[in-house]
């Protein structure tokens, strides 16, 4: 799946979540609430990374790890969109800059 397709599917799911939140609670989550949810997902991800490294035990760690990484990617895509960030362009620019910096440090 290309990034554009990932983004489109993530934003469609967000639209569904917003409709459900409005139905259940009278309003959609704010960007701040989405960010707090993302922080919770990162905490879950950290525990799964520990389990994957053998530091803690979590049943079905590998499948849960994939799920949590996907949740985190969804959050990043949705937050970028809501904040008006062209994530694909920023990622590309950032990777080029960091690659240049690290290559320079390595003398290559």
């Amino acid at each position: 799946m290309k990034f554009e397709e990932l983004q489109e599917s993530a934003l469609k799911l967000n639209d569904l979540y917003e409709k459900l939140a409005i139905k259940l609670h009278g309003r959609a989550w704010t960007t701040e609430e989405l960010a707090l949810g993302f922080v919770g997902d990162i905490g879950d991800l950290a525990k799964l990374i520990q389990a994957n490294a053998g530091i803690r035990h979590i049943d079905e760690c590998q499948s849960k790890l994939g799920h949590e990484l996907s949740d985190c990617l969804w959050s990043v895509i949705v937050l970028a969109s809501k904040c008006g960030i062209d994530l694909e362009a920023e990622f590309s620019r950032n990777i080029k800059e960091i690659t240049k910096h690290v290559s320079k440090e390595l003398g290559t």
Side-chain angles (χ1 to χ4, degrees):
M1 190 180 280
K2 295 184 179 193
F3 181 78
E4 186 176 283
E5 295 168 318
L6 287 172
Q7 187 176 34
E8 183 180 325
S9 63
L11 295 176
K12 281 182 182 178
L13 177 57
N14 184 66
D15 286 343
L16 289 173
Y17 271 135
E18 286 184 351
K19 288 175 184 170
L20 180 60
I22 290 167
K23 178 181 176 182
L24 296 175
H25 308 291
R27 68 174 182 84
W29 279 21
T30 65
T31 304
E32 295 88 346
E33 289 167 325
L34 285 168
L36 286 172
F38 180 39
V39 169
D41 286 340
I42 291 171
D44 293 340
L45 176 62
K47 292 172 188 168
L48 288 163
I49 293 291
Q50 288 179 329
N52 192 57
I55 295 171
R56 69 168 59 214
H57 176 77
I58 298 175
D59 290 331
E60 301 177 34
C61 168
Q62 198 67 27
S63 66
K64 290 177 181 177
L65 180 56
H67 176 92
E68 205 59 51
L69 283 164
S70 177
D71 281 352
C72 289
L73 179 58
W74 176 84
S75 293
V76 169
I77 290 170
V78 170
L79 286 167
S81 176
K82 289 192 172 288
C83 292
I85 303 298
D86 181 341
L87 188 57
E88 186 175 16
E90 288 297 323
F91 182 83
S92 180
R93 181 192 59 74
N94 195 34
I95 292 298
K96 286 177 187 174
E97 286 179 7
I98 293 170
T99 300
K100 183 178 175 182
H101 171 75
V102 172
S103 294
K104 182 178 175 184
E105 291 293 316
L106 291 170
T108 59

